Amino acid sequence: MDDAALIRLTARGDQNALAELYERHAPWLQVRLRRRCGDDDVIAEALQETFVAAWRGAGRWRGDGDVAAWLWGIAVRRLVDLIAKRPAHRPLANVPDPVVASAEDELLLGVEYAELSTALNRLSPELHAVVQATVLDGLTTREAGRLLHIPQGTVKTRMARARTLLREALS
């Protein structure tokens, strides 16, 4: 059964469908959340809140996108909210993925995205974190500011600076 069918069943109150969604998506969500926060308790709470929100909001899923993307949007917003409530916690940037790619995959990715990767790696950690939050994770500037503990205006300024530097590096 595909994810869309599981969401429709979840909307009708099928707990088994929600359990199947959890089994399919919780592991990769946990990995991605861990790249943003090093506190396992916060990650566990964000995951739990994600699937509670999916249970409650399954009826509002419009069906016009990927279920995984919808779940990621919920998860990252839950993480932002939890981190904002606990200002002592800081997100981690550039924590390596525990999934090991094959040598062939790494070589192909290196060839295909070498210039972009080099340009991104030359950004300061502050600029790189803003690019990661807004571009890669799809957060709004407000959400990125909450996650990174900086004002929304600072997110916009850093993103503008990062775009300028990337444009210069890639032209």
Side-chain angles (χ1 to χ4, degrees), residues 15-146:
Q15 293 178 358
N16 291 328
L18 180 67
E20 178 66 25
L21 282 170
Y22 183 88
E23 292 219 3
R24 287 183 189 180
H25 296 284
W28 71 263
L29 285 168
Q30 183 176 21
V31 168
R32 285 194 72 185
L33 291 172
R34 185 166 285 123
R35 294 180 68 187
R36 275 84 186 153
C37 176
D39 188 322
D40 287 337
D41 292 336
V42 173
I43 293 167
E45 191 172 346
L47 268 178
Q48 179 179 359
E49 288 186 15
T50 296
F51 285 95
V52 168
W55 172 257
R56 292 180 180 155
R60 293 187 303 271
W61 184 69
R62 296 181 308 233
D64 59 352
D66 187 41
V67 172
W70 179 68
L71 289 170
W72 172 246
I74 295 170
V76 76
R77 283 169 177 78
R78 293 296 183 255
L79 182 66
V80 167
D81 291 343
L82 290 168
I83 289 173
K85 289 177 189 173
R86 301 173 186 179
H89 297 289
R90 297 281 186 207
L92 295 179
N94 300 326
V95 176
D97 235 339
V99 178
V100 177
S102 70
E104 293 85 1
D105 287 343
E106 287 185 19
L107 179 63
L108 288 173
L109 285 173
V111 169
E112 188 173 354
Y113 297 107
E115 285 183 57
L116 178 59
S117 178
T118 300
L120 281 170
N121 287 333
R122 287 186 181 152
L123 293 176
S124 69
E126 295 82 15
L127 297 180
H128 191 274
V130 168
V131 170
Q132 180 175 333
T134 58
V135 176
L136 302 178
D137 293 339
L139 297 178
T140 65
T141 55
R142 180 176 174 217
E143 293 164 338
R146 287 180 68 192

